[in-house]
Amino acid sequence: MKHGKFNPDDLKEEKSNSLSIIERREFLRIGLVITGVFAGGTILSAISNINKVFASTEEVAEKYPYKPHYSMVIRQNLCIDCERCLEACIITNDVPEYGYRTAILQRDVPDAIGQKREFIPVLCNQCNNPPCVRACPVKATYKDKQHGIVMMNYDKCIGCKVCVMACPYNARYFNEEKHSIDKCNFCIDTRLSKGEKLTACTAACPTGARNFGDLSNPDSEVYKLVHQIEKPVWVLRPEVGAKPNVFYMKG
Amino acid sequence: MPEDVKPVKVSEIVKDVTRSFDSSVATTWYSNLMEFLSGSKSFYVLLIISGIMVFISAMSSANAINMGYRHAYGVTREVAWGILISTYIFFVVTSTGLCIVSSIGHVFGIKDFMPIAKRTVFLAVVTIMAGFTVIFLDIENPFRMAIYNAISPNLTSNIWWMGTLYGAYMFFMIVEFIFLLIGSHKYAMYSGLLGLISGIAAHSNLGAIFGMLHGREYWYGPYMPIYFIASAMASGCAAIIFFTYLGYKVNNEMMDKPMERSLEAVGKLCTLLLTVIMFFATWKIITGLVAASGKVEAIKAMLAGPYSLNFWLFEVLIGMVIPFILLLRSKGKNINMMFTASLLMIIGIFIMRYDLVVVGQIVPLYHDLGVNEYSSLHKYTPSFYEIMVVLGGMGVVATSFLLGERVFKGHKSEIH
Ligand code: SF4
Ligand code: SF4
């Protein structure tokens, strides 16, 4: 196992095209199944990472840390910035005008041919290794042992905001009405626990940019999206090591 | 120290205080009170000013609580920690530093550091209380903290450790001060040692709060806890010189030989620690310039961006270079020069804490993503209410210091 040598920056240079089909297959077989591994970063870095985490491929049992293992896959190029997801989120989760649980970021790509602007939806990544949970002094924020959603106990939060500082993804804000930090929880209280299958934003998305489901279920949309050989999948800021459960891809 | 070096009056006062604590004879208290009231005019003017500071700050803070911190304070989702956190750090750094430096005499028995011990321990208690006052007004639900810190502890959280250890620290320091007052030096030594251990542990945890934020390149790493301890000692030395000088002014007294020697030693230690801090600052910048791009941006903002005035003028010139020169030139003997140096250091260190907290947040977390929303640095300006809390904290220190000088009669101690 080669620890310490790995530098995500080196990987930026690599092109996904340079991977052989065999490599890709190997990766899919061993890597994708567990987000803990996969969350090392892009497909590329996951391949380079895989040996760091597991001694042998046998150890990479087809096992997920959570059941259901909720995850969102964002097909970035499909987002048209209609912001229906934001609206749905605000209504469903009672989000005040001064805060947000999810946002759409814009990136200009002046050199691109045709469309010159990209839209990148962001939200809490429900990290597998959540820095916010480690930092909270009173366990007001915690990772649910069953479904892996990073939850808030609104009554416990003392409002020290260290979780805001710890989160690498700007996913948290202080909600005055709740007297607590608030953040995306994949609509667990407002929808999933009431039998709905999708988060409000996913249900509202007209283009299929947002996809939601149980990553541990091979029949789920997210599983199928992430397990396509030809499509690179990545997470934001992999270098932090938070191991997100929100994945990005194109197409 | 031989008995005859000590001025007669001092020992009488000490006996007096000791007796009043031992037997609480009413007449002694009465004469103490009379003596307290007989203070000079300027003393009362200062006391009234600092008292008013605390009062106004309390009023404005009550207002801030009413209107909600989101409206009252300048902090935002992106810059969630502002001047209140940095002022809290400023106070507890000073407290820890006072504790460490005073322990050189009282815990480790180095004679030159003994005369300053009482005042120093008293000030350590005062500054930690000022720090707690400020953080109380920063945290949104401070009362919940008392409950859930106890019944729902997260042992991986640096804040939990810091809060708990600082609680213990304050307790030990108060106990130490009481033992010093009643002249029980053995027990003072033990509680001082416990205070020192919990203080250092608490303080390195405070550094680790920042050092362990792996999403924040500017702070991440072991640098912060180590730097915090080193800079605490420098703060402590500056505060000792500053307050001892003022203490003698307030009491209208001349320093005796042991006290002069003591300040000379503190001044030298201070000079040494300033070099250590300069060393830290230099390497922080040099390594920062070849770091990940987010950190480079932050360092650039310090060196040549919006924080360059803070950095070059306040941190470097006022906080380090000028005090260093003054301290060197004073040779530990020119007390006026040393006082000026300590005042400048305190100002510089206050700004240092501010920059440390704020500059760590100005580079957007999604900086590397290249999105339009996060193409420029975040801004933060302290609001009126935040500044009032800061002034209130300073008022608490000033008021307690002045009262302490009078009530404890210049913190004179027997010298062993
Ligand atoms: S994205 Fe932020 S808030 Fe969400 S789990 Fe990760 S660290 Fe916590
Ligand atoms: S603000 Fe609340 S949830 Fe966040 S770390 Fe503090 S107590 Fe925990």
Side-chain angles (χ1 to χ4, degrees), chain A residues 132 135-141 152-153 156-164 172 174 180-181, chain B residues 141 157 159:
Chain A
C132 55
C136 176
V138 295
K139 296 187 181 162
T141 191
M152 276 303 305
N153 182 334
K156 271 191 190 174
C157 174
I158 64 173
C160 64
K161 297 176 186 162
V162 70
C163 56
V164 178
R172 300 175 155 259
F174 189 81
S180 166
I181 292 291
Chain B
N141 308 310
S157 161
I159 292 225

mmCIF file with all atom_site columns, all heavy atoms in Angstrom, chain A residues 132 135-141 152-153 156-164 172 174 180-181, chain B residues 141 157 159, ligand 2:
data_model
loop_
_atom_site.group_PDB
_atom_site.id
_atom_site.type_symbol
_atom_site.label_atom_id
_atom_site.label_alt_id
_atom_site.label_comp_id
_atom_site.label_asym_id
_atom_site.label_entity_id
_atom_site.label_seq_id
_atom_site.pdbx_PDB_ins_code
_atom_site.Cartn_x
_atom_site.Cartn_y
_atom_site.Cartn_z
_atom_site.occupancy
_atom_site.B_iso_or_equiv
_atom_site.pdbx_formal_charge
_atom_site.auth_seq_id
_atom_site.auth_comp_id
_atom_site.auth_asym_id
_atom_site.auth_atom_id
_atom_site.pdbx_PDB_model_num
ATOM   1   N  N   . CYS A 1 132 ? -18.244 18.085 9.695  1.00 0.00 ? 132 CYS A N   1
ATOM   2   C  CA  . CYS A 1 132 ? -19.168 18.818 10.570 1.00 0.00 ? 132 CYS A CA  1
ATOM   3   C  C   . CYS A 1 132 ? -19.520 17.988 11.796 1.00 0.00 ? 132 CYS A C   1
ATOM   4   O  O   . CYS A 1 132 ? -19.613 18.502 12.897 1.00 0.00 ? 132 CYS A O   1
ATOM   5   C  CB  . CYS A 1 132 ? -20.437 19.167 9.788  1.00 0.00 ? 132 CYS A CB  1
ATOM   6   S  SG  . CYS A 1 132 ? -21.232 17.740 9.035  1.00 0.00 ? 132 CYS A SG  1
ATOM   7   N  N   . ALA A 1 135 ? -16.758 17.882 14.374 1.00 0.00 ? 135 ALA A N   1
ATOM   8   C  CA  . ALA A 1 135 ? -16.471 19.129 15.073 1.00 0.00 ? 135 ALA A CA  1
ATOM   9   C  C   . ALA A 1 135 ? -17.544 19.527 16.080 1.00 0.00 ? 135 ALA A C   1
ATOM   10  O  O   . ALA A 1 135 ? -17.248 20.225 17.047 1.00 0.00 ? 135 ALA A O   1
ATOM   11  C  CB  . ALA A 1 135 ? -16.293 20.246 14.049 1.00 0.00 ? 135 ALA A CB  1
ATOM   12  N  N   . CYS A 1 136 ? -18.772 19.107 15.874 1.00 0.00 ? 136 CYS A N   1
ATOM   13  C  CA  . CYS A 1 136 ? -19.865 19.569 16.750 1.00 0.00 ? 136 CYS A CA  1
ATOM   14  C  C   . CYS A 1 136 ? -19.640 19.111 18.188 1.00 0.00 ? 136 CYS A C   1
ATOM   15  O  O   . CYS A 1 136 ? -19.481 17.932 18.452 1.00 0.00 ? 136 CYS A O   1
ATOM   16  C  CB  . CYS A 1 136 ? -21.201 19.034 16.244 1.00 0.00 ? 136 CYS A CB  1
ATOM   17  S  SG  . CYS A 1 136 ? -22.566 19.485 17.338 1.00 0.00 ? 136 CYS A SG  1
ATOM   18  N  N   . PRO A 1 137 ? -19.624 20.063 19.136 1.00 0.00 ? 137 PRO A N   1
ATOM   19  C  CA  . PRO A 1 137 ? -19.296 19.694 20.517 1.00 0.00 ? 137 PRO A CA  1
ATOM   20  C  C   . PRO A 1 137 ? -20.376 18.879 21.220 1.00 0.00 ? 137 PRO A C   1
ATOM   21  O  O   . PRO A 1 137 ? -20.089 18.186 22.195 1.00 0.00 ? 137 PRO A O   1
ATOM   22  C  CB  . PRO A 1 137 ? -19.117 21.042 21.219 1.00 0.00 ? 137 PRO A CB  1
ATOM   23  C  CG  . PRO A 1 137 ? -19.861 22.020 20.387 1.00 0.00 ? 137 PRO A CG  1
ATOM   24  C  CD  . PRO A 1 137 ? -19.800 21.512 18.982 1.00 0.00 ? 137 PRO A CD  1
ATOM   25  N  N   . VAL A 1 138 ? -21.619 18.974 20.753 1.00 0.00 ? 138 VAL A N   1
ATOM   26  C  CA  . VAL A 1 138 ? -22.705 18.366 21.526 1.00 0.00 ? 138 VAL A CA  1
ATOM   27  C  C   . VAL A 1 138 ? -23.507 17.332 20.732 1.00 0.00 ? 138 VAL A C   1
ATOM   28  O  O   . VAL A 1 138 ? -24.626 16.976 21.113 1.00 0.00 ? 138 VAL A O   1
ATOM   29  C  CB  . VAL A 1 138 ? -23.657 19.456 22.077 1.00 0.00 ? 138 VAL A CB  1
ATOM   30  C  CG1 . VAL A 1 138 ? -22.948 20.334 23.081 1.00 0.00 ? 138 VAL A CG1 1
ATOM   31  C  CG2 . VAL A 1 138 ? -24.218 20.309 20.940 1.00 0.00 ? 138 VAL A CG2 1
ATOM   32  N  N   . LYS A 1 139 ? -22.950 16.843 19.644 1.00 0.00 ? 139 LYS A N   1
ATOM   33  C  CA  . LYS A 1 139 ? -23.623 15.852 18.811 1.00 0.00 ? 139 LYS A CA  1
ATOM   34  C  C   . LYS A 1 139 ? -24.994 16.335 18.322 1.00 0.00 ? 139 LYS A C   1
ATOM   35  O  O   . LYS A 1 139 ? -25.934 15.552 18.213 1.00 0.00 ? 139 LYS A O   1
ATOM   36  C  CB  . LYS A 1 139 ? -23.797 14.528 19.563 1.00 0.00 ? 139 LYS A CB  1
ATOM   37  C  CG  . LYS A 1 139 ? -22.471 13.871 19.913 1.00 0.00 ? 139 LYS A CG  1
ATOM   38  C  CD  . LYS A 1 139 ? -22.703 12.492 20.492 1.00 0.00 ? 139 LYS A CD  1
ATOM   39  C  CE  . LYS A 1 139 ? -21.394 11.829 20.857 1.00 0.00 ? 139 LYS A CE  1
ATOM   40  N  NZ  . LYS A 1 139 ? -21.566 10.699 21.778 1.00 0.00 ? 139 LYS A NZ  1
ATOM   41  N  N   . ALA A 1 140 ? -25.094 17.647 18.090 1.00 0.00 ? 140 ALA A N   1
ATOM   42  C  CA  . ALA A 1 140 ? -26.347 18.168 17.549 1.00 0.00 ? 140 ALA A CA  1
ATOM   43  C  C   . ALA A 1 140 ? -26.457 17.782 16.085 1.00 0.00 ? 140 ALA A C   1
ATOM   44  O  O   . ALA A 1 140 ? -27.549 17.698 15.538 1.00 0.00 ? 140 ALA A O   1
ATOM   45  C  CB  . ALA A 1 140 ? -26.408 19.680 17.696 1.00 0.00 ? 140 ALA A CB  1
ATOM   46  N  N   . THR A 1 141 ? -25.345 17.544 15.442 1.00 0.00 ? 141 THR A N   1
ATOM   47  C  CA  . THR A 1 141 ? -25.375 17.033 14.078 1.00 0.00 ? 141 THR A CA  1
ATOM   48  C  C   . THR A 1 141 ? -24.698 15.668 14.102 1.00 0.00 ? 141 THR A C   1
ATOM   49  O  O   . THR A 1 141 ? -23.703 15.481 14.776 1.00 0.00 ? 141 THR A O   1
ATOM   50  C  CB  . THR A 1 141 ? -24.719 18.017 13.087 1.00 0.00 ? 141 THR A CB  1
ATOM   51  O  OG1 . THR A 1 141 ? -24.996 17.587 11.761 1.00 0.00 ? 141 THR A OG1 1
ATOM   52  C  CG2 . THR A 1 141 ? -23.221 18.148 13.281 1.00 0.00 ? 141 THR A CG2 1
ATOM   53  N  N   . MET A 1 152 ? -29.697 16.759 11.717 1.00 0.00 ? 152 MET A N   1
ATOM   54  C  CA  . MET A 1 152 ? -29.606 17.795 12.749 1.00 0.00 ? 152 MET A CA  1
ATOM   55  C  C   . MET A 1 152 ? -30.588 17.477 13.868 1.00 0.00 ? 152 MET A C   1
ATOM   56  O  O   . MET A 1 152 ? -31.730 17.107 13.614 1.00 0.00 ? 152 MET A O   1
ATOM   57  C  CB  . MET A 1 152 ? -29.988 19.167 12.167 1.00 0.00 ? 152 MET A CB  1
ATOM   58  C  CG  . MET A 1 152 ? -28.907 19.925 11.460 1.00 0.00 ? 152 MET A CG  1
ATOM   59  S  SD  . MET A 1 152 ? -27.432 20.266 12.428 1.00 0.00 ? 152 MET A SD  1
ATOM   60  C  CE  . MET A 1 152 ? -28.090 21.111 13.857 1.00 0.00 ? 152 MET A CE  1
ATOM   61  N  N   . ASN A 1 153 ? -30.127 17.629 15.080 1.00 0.00 ? 153 ASN A N   1
ATOM   62  C  CA  . ASN A 1 153 ? -31.040 17.633 16.212 1.00 0.00 ? 153 ASN A CA  1
ATOM   63  C  C   . ASN A 1 153 ? -31.214 19.098 16.593 1.00 0.00 ? 153 ASN A C   1
ATOM   64  O  O   . ASN A 1 153 ? -30.360 19.685 17.262 1.00 0.00 ? 153 ASN A O   1
ATOM   65  C  CB  . ASN A 1 153 ? -30.445 16.819 17.361 1.00 0.00 ? 153 ASN A CB  1
ATOM   66  C  CG  . ASN A 1 153 ? -31.374 16.751 18.555 1.00 0.00 ? 153 ASN A CG  1
ATOM   67  O  OD1 . ASN A 1 153 ? -32.203 17.644 18.754 1.00 0.00 ? 153 ASN A OD1 1
ATOM   68  N  ND2 . ASN A 1 153 ? -31.246 15.702 19.344 1.00 0.00 ? 153 ASN A ND2 1
ATOM   69  N  N   . LYS A 1 156 ? -30.671 20.460 20.181 1.00 0.00 ? 156 LYS A N   1
ATOM   70  C  CA  . LYS A 1 156 ? -29.380 20.392 20.871 1.00 0.00 ? 156 LYS A CA  1
ATOM   71  C  C   . LYS A 1 156 ? -28.423 21.487 20.436 1.00 0.00 ? 156 LYS A C   1
ATOM   72  O  O   . LYS A 1 156 ? -27.491 21.821 21.168 1.00 0.00 ? 156 LYS A O   1
ATOM   73  C  CB  . LYS A 1 156 ? -28.721 19.043 20.578 1.00 0.00 ? 156 LYS A CB  1
ATOM   74  C  CG  . LYS A 1 156 ? -29.085 17.927 21.530 1.00 0.00 ? 156 LYS A CG  1
ATOM   75  C  CD  . LYS A 1 156 ? -28.144 16.768 21.271 1.00 0.00 ? 156 LYS A CD  1
ATOM   76  C  CE  . LYS A 1 156 ? -28.583 15.515 22.011 1.00 0.00 ? 156 LYS A CE  1
ATOM   77  N  NZ  . LYS A 1 156 ? -27.743 14.376 21.625 1.00 0.00 ? 156 LYS A NZ  1
ATOM   78  N  N   . CYS A 1 157 ? -28.617 21.990 19.227 1.00 0.00 ? 157 CYS A N   1
ATOM   79  C  CA  . CYS A 1 157 ? -27.613 22.894 18.646 1.00 0.00 ? 157 CYS A CA  1
ATOM   80  C  C   . CYS A 1 157 ? -27.404 24.130 19.520 1.00 0.00 ? 157 CYS A C   1
ATOM   81  O  O   . CYS A 1 157 ? -28.349 24.832 19.863 1.00 0.00 ? 157 CYS A O   1
ATOM   82  C  CB  . CYS A 1 157 ? -28.065 23.307 17.248 1.00 0.00 ? 157 CYS A CB  1
ATOM   83  S  SG  . CYS A 1 157 ? -27.001 24.540 16.508 1.00 0.00 ? 157 CYS A SG  1
ATOM   84  N  N   . ILE A 1 158 ? -26.152 24.395 19.857 1.00 0.00 ? 158 ILE A N   1
ATOM   85  C  CA  . ILE A 1 158 ? -25.859 25.565 20.691 1.00 0.00 ? 158 ILE A CA  1
ATOM   86  C  C   . ILE A 1 158 ? -25.522 26.787 19.832 1.00 0.00 ? 158 ILE A C   1
ATOM   87  O  O   . ILE A 1 158 ? -25.316 27.873 20.354 1.00 0.00 ? 158 ILE A O   1
ATOM   88  C  CB  . ILE A 1 158 ? -24.696 25.289 21.667 1.00 0.00 ? 158 ILE A CB  1
ATOM   89  C  CG1 . ILE A 1 158 ? -23.389 25.031 20.918 1.00 0.00 ? 158 ILE A CG1 1
ATOM   90  C  CG2 . ILE A 1 158 ? -25.024 24.115 22.581 1.00 0.00 ? 158 ILE A CG2 1
ATOM   91  C  CD1 . ILE A 1 158 ? -22.173 24.926 21.825 1.00 0.00 ? 158 ILE A CD1 1
ATOM   92  N  N   . GLY A 1 159 ? -25.412 26.582 18.535 1.00 0.00 ? 159 GLY A N   1
ATOM   93  C  CA  . GLY A 1 159 ? -25.143 27.713 17.641 1.00 0.00 ? 159 GLY A CA  1
ATOM   94  C  C   . GLY A 1 159 ? -23.721 28.218 17.694 1.00 0.00 ? 159 GLY A C   1
ATOM   95  O  O   . GLY A 1 159 ? -23.473 29.401 17.512 1.00 0.00 ? 159 GLY A O   1
ATOM   96  N  N   . CYS A 1 160 ? -22.774 27.314 17.906 1.00 0.00 ? 160 CYS A N   1
ATOM   97  C  CA  . CYS A 1 160 ? -21.378 27.752 17.951 1.00 0.00 ? 160 CYS A CA  1
ATOM   98  C  C   . CYS A 1 160 ? -20.821 27.931 16.537 1.00 0.00 ? 160 CYS A C   1
ATOM   99  O  O   . CYS A 1 160 ? -19.813 28.581 16.336 1.00 0.00 ? 160 CYS A O   1
ATOM   100 C  CB  . CYS A 1 160 ? -20.532 26.736 18.703 1.00 0.00 ? 160 CYS A CB  1
ATOM   101 S  SG  . CYS A 1 160 ? -20.463 25.139 17.880 1.00 0.00 ? 160 CYS A SG  1
ATOM   102 N  N   . LYS A 1 161 ? -21.472 27.309 15.561 1.00 0.00 ? 161 LYS A N   1
ATOM   103 C  CA  . LYS A 1 161 ? -21.139 27.452 14.139 1.00 0.00 ? 161 LYS A CA  1
ATOM   104 C  C   . LYS A 1 161 ? -19.798 26.842 13.742 1.00 0.00 ? 161 LYS A C   1
ATOM   105 O  O   . LYS A 1 161 ? -19.261 27.160 12.683 1.00 0.00 ? 161 LYS A O   1
ATOM   106 C  CB  . LYS A 1 161 ? -21.179 28.925 13.707 1.00 0.00 ? 161 LYS A CB  1
ATOM   107 C  CG  . LYS A 1 161 ? -22.576 29.496 13.863 1.00 0.00 ? 161 LYS A CG  1
ATOM   108 C  CD  . LYS A 1 161 ? -22.646 30.960 13.544 1.00 0.00 ? 161 LYS A CD  1
ATOM   109 C  CE  . LYS A 1 161 ? -24.035 31.472 13.863 1.00 0.00 ? 161 LYS A CE  1
ATOM   110 N  NZ  . LYS A 1 161 ? -24.101 32.906 13.991 1.00 0.00 ? 161 LYS A NZ  1
ATOM   111 N  N   . VAL A 1 162 ? -19.286 25.968 14.574 1.00 0.00 ? 162 VAL A N   1
ATOM   112 C  CA  . VAL A 1 162 ? -18.035 25.332 14.162 1.00 0.00 ? 162 VAL A CA  1
ATOM   113 C  C   . VAL A 1 162 ? -18.298 24.366 13.011 1.00 0.00 ? 162 VAL A C   1
ATOM   114 O  O   . VAL A 1 162 ? -17.428 24.124 12.172 1.00 0.00 ? 162 VAL A O   1
ATOM   115 C  CB  . VAL A 1 162 ? -17.320 24.627 15.339 1.00 0.00 ? 162 VAL A CB  1
ATOM   116 C  CG1 . VAL A 1 162 ? -18.055 23.392 15.790 1.00 0.00 ? 162 VAL A CG1 1
ATOM   117 C  CG2 . VAL A 1 162 ? -15.893 24.280 14.960 1.00 0.00 ? 162 VAL A CG2 1
ATOM   118 N  N   . CYS A 1 163 ? -19.519 23.845 12.939 1.00 0.00 ? 163 CYS A N   1
ATOM   119 C  CA  . CYS A 1 163 ? -19.848 22.943 11.836 1.00 0.00 ? 163 CYS A CA  1
ATOM   120 C  C   . CYS A 1 163 ? -19.863 23.707 10.513 1.00 0.00 ? 163 CYS A C   1
ATOM   121 O  O   . CYS A 1 163 ? -19.513 23.166 9.467  1.00 0.00 ? 163 CYS A O   1
ATOM   122 C  CB  . CYS A 1 163 ? -21.187 22.272 12.079 1.00 0.00 ? 163 CYS A CB  1
ATOM   123 S  SG  . CYS A 1 163 ? -22.522 23.439 12.347 1.00 0.00 ? 163 CYS A SG  1
ATOM   124 N  N   . VAL A 1 164 ? -20.287 24.975 10.588 1.00 0.00 ? 164 VAL A N   1
ATOM   125 C  CA  . VAL A 1 164 ? -20.270 25.823 9.385  1.00 0.00 ? 164 VAL A CA  1
ATOM   126 C  C   . VAL A 1 164 ? -18.826 25.988 8.923  1.00 0.00 ? 164 VAL A C   1
ATOM   127 O  O   . VAL A 1 164 ? -18.528 25.950 7.725  1.00 0.00 ? 164 VAL A O   1
ATOM   128 C  CB  . VAL A 1 164 ? -20.896 27.198 9.690  1.00 0.00 ? 164 VAL A CB  1
ATOM   129 C  CG1 . VAL A 1 164 ? -20.838 28.102 8.471  1.00 0.00 ? 164 VAL A CG1 1
ATOM   130 C  CG2 . VAL A 1 164 ? -22.324 27.039 10.180 1.00 0.00 ? 164 VAL A CG2 1
ATOM   131 N  N   . ARG A 1 172 ? -24.187 24.690 5.258  1.00 0.00 ? 172 ARG A N   1
ATOM   132 C  CA  . ARG A 1 172 ? -24.934 24.945 6.499  1.00 0.00 ? 172 ARG A CA  1
ATOM   133 C  C   . ARG A 1 172 ? -25.188 26.427 6.716  1.00 0.00 ? 172 ARG A C   1
ATOM   134 O  O   . ARG A 1 172 ? -24.379 27.255 6.339  1.00 0.00 ? 172 ARG A O   1
ATOM   135 C  CB  . ARG A 1 172 ? -24.123 24.403 7.681  1.00 0.00 ? 172 ARG A CB  1
ATOM   136 C  CG  . ARG A 1 172 ? -23.871 22.931 7.574  1.00 0.00 ? 172 ARG A CG  1
ATOM   137 C  CD  . ARG A 1 172 ? -22.970 22.445 8.696  1.00 0.00 ? 172 ARG A CD  1
ATOM   138 N  NE  . ARG A 1 172 ? -23.208 21.048 8.927  1.00 0.00 ? 172 ARG A NE  1
ATOM   139 C  CZ  . ARG A 1 172 ? -23.946 20.593 9.926  1.00 0.00 ? 172 ARG A CZ  1
ATOM   140 N  NH1 . ARG A 1 172 ? -24.448 21.401 10.814 1.00 0.00 ? 172 ARG A NH1 1
ATOM   141 N  NH2 . ARG A 1 172 ? -24.174 19.302 10.033 1.00 0.00 ? 172 ARG A NH2 1
ATOM   142 N  N   . PHE A 1 174 ? -27.345 29.208 9.736  1.00 0.00 ? 174 PHE A N   1
ATOM   143 C  CA  . PHE A 1 174 ? -28.089 29.271 10.988 1.00 0.00 ? 174 PHE A CA  1
ATOM   144 C  C   . PHE A 1 174 ? -29.515 29.717 10.718 1.00 0.00 ? 174 PHE A C   1
ATOM   145 O  O   . PHE A 1 174 ? -29.752 30.746 10.104 1.00 0.00 ? 174 PHE A O   1
ATOM   146 C  CB  . PHE A 1 174 ? -27.422 30.207 11.995 1.00 0.00 ? 174 PHE A CB  1
ATOM   147 C  CG  . PHE A 1 174 ? -28.059 30.096 13.364 1.00 0.00 ? 174 PHE A CG  1
ATOM   148 C  CD1 . PHE A 1 174 ? -27.699 29.052 14.205 1.00 0.00 ? 174 PHE A CD1 1
ATOM   149 C  CD2 . PHE A 1 174 ? -29.028 30.989 13.773 1.00 0.00 ? 174 PHE A CD2 1
ATOM   150 C  CE1 . PHE A 1 174 ? -28.299 28.916 15.452 1.00 0.00 ? 174 PHE A CE1 1
ATOM   151 C  CE2 . PHE A 1 174 ? -29.636 30.854 15.022 1.00 0.00 ? 174 PHE A CE2 1
ATOM   152 C  CZ  . PHE A 1 174 ? -29.263 29.821 15.864 1.00 0.00 ? 174 PHE A CZ  1
ATOM   153 N  N   . SER A 1 180 ? -31.319 27.081 15.366 1.00 0.00 ? 180 SER A N   1
ATOM   154 C  CA  . SER A 1 180 ? -30.384 25.982 15.148 1.00 0.00 ? 180 SER A CA  1
ATOM   155 C  C   . SER A 1 180 ? -29.792 26.103 13.755 1.00 0.00 ? 180 SER A C   1
ATOM   156 O  O   . SER A 1 180 ? -30.330 26.784 12.891 1.00 0.00 ? 180 SER A O   1
ATOM   157 C  CB  . SER A 1 180 ? -31.138 24.654 15.262 1.00 0.00 ? 180 SER A CB  1
ATOM   158 O  OG  . SER A 1 180 ? -30.354 23.610 14.745 1.00 0.00 ? 180 SER A OG  1
ATOM   159 N  N   . ILE A 1 181 ? -28.690 25.394 13.574 1.00 0.00 ? 181 ILE A N   1
ATOM   160 C  CA  . ILE A 1 181 ? -28.160 25.231 12.230 1.00 0.00 ? 181 ILE A CA  1
ATOM   161 C  C   . ILE A 1 181 ? -29.140 24.380 11.431 1.00 0.00 ? 181 ILE A C   1
ATOM   162 O  O   . ILE A 1 181 ? -29.758 23.464 11.973 1.00 0.00 ? 181 ILE A O   1
ATOM   163 C  CB  . ILE A 1 181 ? -26.778 24.549 12.291 1.00 0.00 ? 181 ILE A CB  1
ATOM   164 C  CG1 . ILE A 1 181 ? -25.735 25.468 12.940 1.00 0.00 ? 181 ILE A CG1 1
ATOM   165 C  CG2 . ILE A 1 181 ? -26.325 24.081 10.917 1.00 0.00 ? 181 ILE A CG2 1
ATOM   166 C  CD1 . ILE A 1 181 ? -25.349 26.685 12.128 1.00 0.00 ? 181 ILE A CD1 1
ATOM   167 N  N   . ASN B 2 141 ? -27.142 29.825 21.287 1.00 0.00 ? 141 ASN B N   1
ATOM   168 C  CA  . ASN B 2 141 ? -27.911 29.268 22.405 1.00 0.00 ? 141 ASN B CA  1
ATOM   169 C  C   . ASN B 2 141 ? -26.989 28.893 23.557 1.00 0.00 ? 141 ASN B C   1
ATOM   170 O  O   . ASN B 2 141 ? -26.790 27.716 23.850 1.00 0.00 ? 141 ASN B O   1
ATOM   171 C  CB  . ASN B 2 141 ? -28.674 28.019 21.961 1.00 0.00 ? 141 ASN B CB  1
ATOM   172 C  CG  . ASN B 2 141 ? -29.500 28.266 20.721 1.00 0.00 ? 141 ASN B CG  1
ATOM   173 O  OD1 . ASN B 2 141 ? -30.255 29.224 20.650 1.00 0.00 ? 141 ASN B OD1 1
ATOM   174 N  ND2 . ASN B 2 141 ? -29.344 27.398 19.728 1.00 0.00 ? 141 ASN B ND2 1
ATOM   175 N  N   . SER B 2 157 ? -14.702 16.319 19.353 1.00 0.00 ? 157 SER B N   1
ATOM   176 C  CA  . SER B 2 157 ? -14.812 17.745 19.042 1.00 0.00 ? 157 SER B CA  1
ATOM   177 C  C   . SER B 2 157 ? -13.827 18.571 19.854 1.00 0.00 ? 157 SER B C   1
ATOM   178 O  O   . SER B 2 157 ? -13.794 18.492 21.081 1.00 0.00 ? 157 SER B O   1
ATOM   179 C  CB  . SER B 2 157 ? -16.239 18.210 19.331 1.00 0.00 ? 157 SER B CB  1
ATOM   180 O  OG  . SER B 2 157 ? -16.286 19.607 19.460 1.00 0.00 ? 157 SER B OG  1
ATOM   181 N  N   . ILE B 2 159 ? -13.941 21.727 20.216 1.00 0.00 ? 159 ILE B N   1
ATOM   182 C  CA  . ILE B 2 159 ? -14.669 22.738 20.988 1.00 0.00 ? 159 ILE B CA  1
ATOM   183 C  C   . ILE B 2 159 ? -15.118 22.149 22.313 1.00 0.00 ? 159 ILE B C   1
ATOM   184 O  O   . ILE B 2 159 ? -15.065 22.796 23.348 1.00 0.00 ? 159 ILE B O   1
ATOM   185 C  CB  . ILE B 2 159 ? -15.889 23.252 20.203 1.00 0.00 ? 159 ILE B CB  1
ATOM   186 C  CG1 . ILE B 2 159 ? -15.410 24.044 18.999 1.00 0.00 ? 159 ILE B CG1 1
ATOM   187 C  CG2 . ILE B 2 159 ? -16.792 24.088 21.095 1.00 0.00 ? 159 ILE B CG2 1
ATOM   188 C  CD1 . ILE B 2 159 ? -16.113 25.333 18.755 1.00 0.00 ? 159 ILE B CD1 1
HETATM 189 S  S1  . SF4 C 3 .   ? -23.619 25.128 15.512 1.00 0.00 ? 2   SF4 C S1  1
HETATM 190 FE FE1 . SF4 C 3 .   ? -24.914 23.514 16.358 1.00 0.00 ? 2   SF4 C FE1 1
HETATM 191 S  S2  . SF4 C 3 .   ? -24.731 21.776 14.978 1.00 0.00 ? 2   SF4 C S2  1
HETATM 192 FE FE2 . SF4 C 3 .   ? -23.095 23.213 14.505 1.00 0.00 ? 2   SF4 C FE2 1
HETATM 193 S  S3  . SF4 C 3 .   ? -21.356 22.481 15.693 1.00 0.00 ? 2   SF4 C S3  1
HETATM 194 FE FE3 . SF4 C 3 .   ? -22.335 24.028 16.950 1.00 0.00 ? 2   SF4 C FE3 1
HETATM 195 S  S4  . SF4 C 3 .   ? -23.791 22.892 18.198 1.00 0.00 ? 2   SF4 C S4  1
HETATM 196 FE FE4 . SF4 C 3 .   ? -23.182 21.515 16.546 1.00 0.00 ? 2   SF4 C FE4 1
#
